[in-house]
Amino acid sequence: MRTPAYEYRHVVGFEETNLVGNVYYVNYLRWQGRCREMFLKEMAPEILDDVRGDLKLFTQKVECEYIAEIAAFDDLVISMVLADLGQTTLELEFEYWCEHPDGPLLVGRGRQRIVCMRGPNGDTRPTRVPEPLIEALRPYMSDAVSAR
């Protein structure tokens, strides 16, 4: 059984393509960030209030694997699951699905490691992943995280 995922829908625009007509690679990383932001807005708005305070969600590592090319006006679904949870870190996995008449086509995979920090700029320190964030991510935990 596949882990339920948070989903963000996106239509590719011309500004996201290169001269050849396919999507410029950096946009996949932007979409990961956008998916994460929309998750916070929809599922954990109290975390956004905390970010306006002194909570910082630093992206420590990001990666993306490109499987198939996509172009302007392709309909995408970017799915996100919680792949790992530490005391001060969490890892999110992303899949990029392109809608096609024959069914969804997997066009990419990605991953982000996020470190939770608190304090003023220049003096931030690791802090535990906030409980409201863990609760919001609970429905989207991979089996490996849920088993712990």
Side-chain angles (χ1 to χ4, degrees):
M1 186 172 112
R2 188 175 157 184
T3 302
Y6 173 81
E7 293 184 345
Y8 165 68
R9 296 186 174 278
H10 180 76
V11 177
V12 177
F14 283 129
E15 75 278 4
E16 297 170 307
T17 62
N18 57 28
L19 292 174
V20 179
N22 58 3
V23 168
Y24 188 61
Y25 73 94
V26 77
N27 288 298
Y28 288 81
L29 302 180
R30 282 191 184 117
W31 299 332
Q32 281 185 24
R34 185 72 173 166
C35 183
R36 185 176 87 180
E37 291 168 2
M38 292 299 98
F39 168 81
L40 291 173
K41 180 180 185 265
E42 293 174 23
M43 308 304 288
E46 62 272 23
I47 294 300
L48 292 178
D49 291 337
D50 207 1
V51 167
R52 289 180 189 103
D54 71 341
L55 177 66
K56 294 166 179 61
L57 302 175
F58 286 124
T59 302
Q60 183 181 47
K61 181 179 179 181
V62 65
E63 59 188 57
C64 193
E65 172 188 8
Y66 311 100
I67 298 170
E69 290 189 1
I70 53 178
F73 303 110
D74 279 344
D75 291 309
L76 297 179
V77 175
I78 297 98
S79 66
M80 180 187 86
V81 298
L82 178 64
D84 195 21
L85 179 63
Q87 289 186 1
T88 62
T89 62
L90 53 97
E91 287 203 27
L92 303 172
E93 284 184 348
F94 299 85
E95 290 184 341
Y96 305 82
W97 294 89
C98 187
E99 300 291 337
H100 280 280
D102 296 335
L105 172 68
L106 182 65
V107 296
R109 288 189 186 97
R111 195 170 179 102
Q112 287 186 7
R113 181 181 306 127
I114 298 154
V115 181
C116 296
M117 307 281 278
R118 285 197 186 274
N121 291 339
D123 189 27
T124 55
R125 302 184 192 260
T127 189
R128 289 189 174 274
V129 177
E131 193 60 36
L133 181 54
I134 295 170
E135 285 306 309
L137 286 165
R138 194 168 305 284
Y140 311 108
M141 287 183 175
S142 69
D143 292 339
V145 176
S146 296
R148 286 192 241 156

